[in-house]
Amino acid sequence: MNFLSAFRAPSRPEAQWFKVGLTSSFPDLGLDDEDIHNLAHTRPCNSKTAPGCKVFYVPKDDPSSGKEVPVSENEGAGDMTDQVLVFQRKGTFHAVDHQCPHSSFPLSQGMPFDIEDFGIVLSAGITCPKHGWSFDLFSGRADRGNYKLKVWEVQLRDPGGGTSDKEVWVRRKQRIG
């Protein structure tokens, strides 16, 4: 018996990582000042076009059974429980709950933006188009009210094989304590 095993919490199913694709399959948003479209809008991505984001259904009890959910530019609200929204903006990957915590509207319809103070970029955010509420993509905090968007952890992993492309993995943020 390992001395530290008595202090280690058992692994929870929601702590499992889920692979969402290669970095090359995500357009890099926000590099073009003319890009004024929502996340779901189709954009150039390498030699093809792709939506600016991907959505995945990742059940808490078995993340390994997760699957990609089609994203539409005019999507209405449906059941978005256990869905994660993943996108790349200015070279950084973000993963958050797909559902706005205030109005249960799909954030794939939202607009990403820089959070600035006197011209200095402090963070990044996303605005829900239903009521105009904004959320910080790193902390999840809302610009008003006591709502908090759930932020997921993101890891870029080397797939091996000598390719420069990385694999994008996500998981629910772990609670400490």
Side-chain angles (χ1 to χ4, degrees), residues 77-126:
D79 183 19
M80 292 172 282
T81 306
D82 291 335
Q83 288 187 4
V84 60
L85 169 70
V86 184
F87 62 97
Q88 179 183 199
R89 184 165 191 279
K90 295 186 176 181
T92 301
F93 278 86
H94 300 280
V96 296
D97 273 4
H98 187 211
Q99 176 174 288
C100 173
H102 167 247
S103 65
S104 299
F105 197 76
L107 288 177
S108 58
Q109 303 305 307
M111 295 284 293
F113 64 94
D114 287 331
I115 298 173
E116 299 181 6
D117 189 15
F118 295 104
I120 298 171
V121 177
L122 303 174
S123 190
I126 187 167

Side-chain angles (χ1 to χ4, degrees), residues 3-174:
F3 171 72
L4 293 177
S5 65
F7 300 103
R8 189 175 304 146
S11 181
R12 295 186 302 251
E14 67 269 13
Q16 294 177 8
W17 289 92
F18 178 75
K19 181 181 170 185
V20 296
L22 296 172
T23 55
S24 61
S25 67
F26 290 87
D28 197 352
L29 312 176
L31 298 177
D32 180 8
D33 290 336
E34 302 293 318
D35 189 359
I36 56 167
H37 301 287
N38 68 24
L39 286 172
H41 182 75
T42 303
R43 295 168 169 85
C45 181
N46 296 320
S47 60
K48 302 181 282 185
T49 59
C53 63
K54 292 184 181 182
V55 176
F56 297 88
Y57 169 72
V58 184
K60 284 183 181 175
D61 55 346
D62 184 16
S64 64
S65 68
K67 63 182 186 244
E68 188 168 356
V69 177
V71 176
S72 169
E73 285 190 58
N74 53 7
E75 183 176 338
D79 183 19
M80 292 172 282
T81 306
D82 291 335
Q83 288 187 4
V84 60
L85 169 70
V86 184
F87 62 97
Q88 179 183 199
R89 184 165 191 279
K90 295 186 176 181
T92 301
F93 278 86
H94 300 280
V96 296
D97 273 4
H98 187 211
Q99 176 174 288
C100 173
H102 167 247
S103 65
S104 299
F105 197 76
L107 288 177
S108 58
Q109 303 305 307
M111 295 284 293
F113 64 94
D114 287 331
I115 298 173
E116 299 181 6
D117 189 15
F118 295 104
I120 298 171
V121 177
L122 303 174
S123 190
I126 187 167
T127 300
C128 176
K130 186 168 183 184
H131 290 116
W133 286 39
S134 297
F135 301 90
D136 187 294
L137 289 170
F138 294 97
S139 69
R141 293 186 191 273
D143 62 346
R144 59 194 111 157
N146 215 9
Y147 295 93
K148 191 165 183 181
L149 176 64
K150 289 188 175 127
V151 178
W152 292 48
E153 293 179 79
V154 178
Q155 248 184 23
L156 300 181
R157 298 181 184 175
D158 185 8
T163 179
S164 62
D165 211 1
K166 303 263 188 214
E167 294 176 339
V168 182
W169 291 75
V170 298
R171 76 171 175 180
R172 288 176 175 81
K173 249 190 187 160
Q174 302 304 293

